[in-house]
Amino acid sequence: MAHNLRITLTALLCVCGYTIAAQQNNVPNYLSTDLTFVWESKPILEIPESVFYDAENQCLYVSNIKGSPSNQDGNGYLSKLNLQGKIIQQKWVSGMDAPKGIAKYNNYLYVSDINDLVVIDITKQKIVKKYHGKEAKFLNDVTVDPQKGIVYVSDMMQNCIYRLKDDKFEKYLDSEQLNHVNGLFFEDDFLYAGVMNQILKIDPKSKQINTLVDDTGNIDGLIGINKNEWIISDWTGNVQRIQSGKITKLLSTADQQINAADLGYIPDQKIILVPTFHNNRIVAYQIK
């Protein structure tokens, strides 16, 4: 009887493989009741900027800048984590400068690296190609059209978006509306971009730009989780939810000077993944 009770209690303490008894260091100054802390990685990552969930391989990839975000110093690398935040291999793929955004198409990862788009073969665990952006200054977030395999990359310093199509990497869209463009997200045949104080909706064919949401603040991470529902982050440490244009704060570590960079998301578990940049951790929260 006691043995069965212990088994039952253990089962109740775990939700979808995550233990709810985990403790968090550096608890946010503000944490919405819509978020529940799940886990955090060890604080041994080296300026983690972006985290990407690989559903096929059931793991996470994290870009580590390890230095200045604009220095071509060869220090940058990708880490591989499991879905409970354990670091499987810290320097999973090296040979980059200051890697940031990550996207996946087929068996390849596409990673922005200052003025290069780096292609990584996941099976071989190695860089197989680098596309150089001739005029690129600060390539940042990356997204991909899952149907066509077209890769889009934001250049925050030039207010433009680059595109990899038919093995050509070149400037695709240059507009004053792309003010400080950072977060990118592709869904249902449209490209979405997070810029200074707005989310934009872009038609990839006509390049027509429409404003979807105003008064967002400066967007870093941008993820779509449902129809007309977004999660955004800003580098200062705020994460917000947008539902049908209404903006609600989910967490803030700004006063603690803990950043919130390019978000990741595990949709089947409703887990938001927050890279803390100089705080050197990935923190996972489950959203209601």
Side-chain angles (χ1 to χ4, degrees), residues 24 26-30 236-239 251-260 274 276 281 285:
Q24 180 178 16
N26 300 313
V27 177
N29 281 353
Y30 177 82
T236 59
N238 299 298
V239 176
L251 72 85
S252 179
T253 52
D255 291 342
Q256 298 155 280
Q257 297 183 329
I258 297 174
N259 310 114
V274 183
T276 61
R281 298 170 300 142
Y285 299 91

Side-chain angles (χ1 to χ4, degrees), residues 218-265:
N218 190 14
I219 295 175
D220 191 325
L222 172 70
I223 52 176
I225 61 173
N226 282 309
K227 193 89 173 168
N228 297 319
E229 184 172 358
W230 304 86
I231 304 294
I232 60 173
S233 64
D234 65 49
W235 190 78
T236 59
N238 299 298
V239 176
Q240 300 180 96
R241 175 191 234 168
I242 302 172
Q243 293 174 298
S244 300
K246 182 182 178 181
I247 302 172
T248 306
K249 185 182 290 187
L250 292 176
L251 72 85
S252 179
T253 52
D255 291 342
Q256 298 155 280
Q257 297 183 329
I258 297 174
N259 310 114
D262 187 14
L263 303 170
Y265 187 60

Side-chain angles (χ1 to χ4, degrees), residues 82-96:
N82 70 14
L83 299 190
Q84 288 74 44
K86 180 181 178 181
I87 299 173
I88 298 170
Q89 189 172 353
Q90 181 146 353
K91 292 191 176 182
W92 180 68
V93 173
S94 301
M96 288 163 277

Side-chain angles (χ1 to χ4, degrees), residues 151-220:
V151 181
Y152 298 90
V153 188
S154 59
D155 189 328
M156 189 173 68
M157 295 299 184
Q158 290 201 105
N159 300 331
C160 71
I161 296 172
Y162 279 76
R163 181 178 70 179
L164 175 63
K165 181 182 179 183
D166 299 328
D167 206 40
K168 292 182 179 179
F169 186 57
E170 56 193 2
K171 191 178 291 187
Y172 156 73
L173 183 59
D174 193 343
S175 170
E176 291 182 359
Q177 290 179 268
L178 297 173
N179 182 16
H180 213 65
V181 60
N182 193 334
L184 297 179
F185 187 81
F186 198 99
E187 185 176 54
D188 296 334
D189 299 320
F190 285 96
L191 175 64
Y192 298 87
V195 301
M196 184 73 77
N197 219 31
Q198 292 179 324
I199 297 176
L200 304 177
K201 183 178 182 179
I202 303 167
D203 186 323
K205 295 180 180 179
S206 67
K207 299 184 182 181
Q208 181 178 344
I209 302 174
N210 293 310
T211 301
L212 192 66
V213 184
D214 278 311
D215 302 320
T216 60
N218 190 14
I219 295 175
D220 191 325

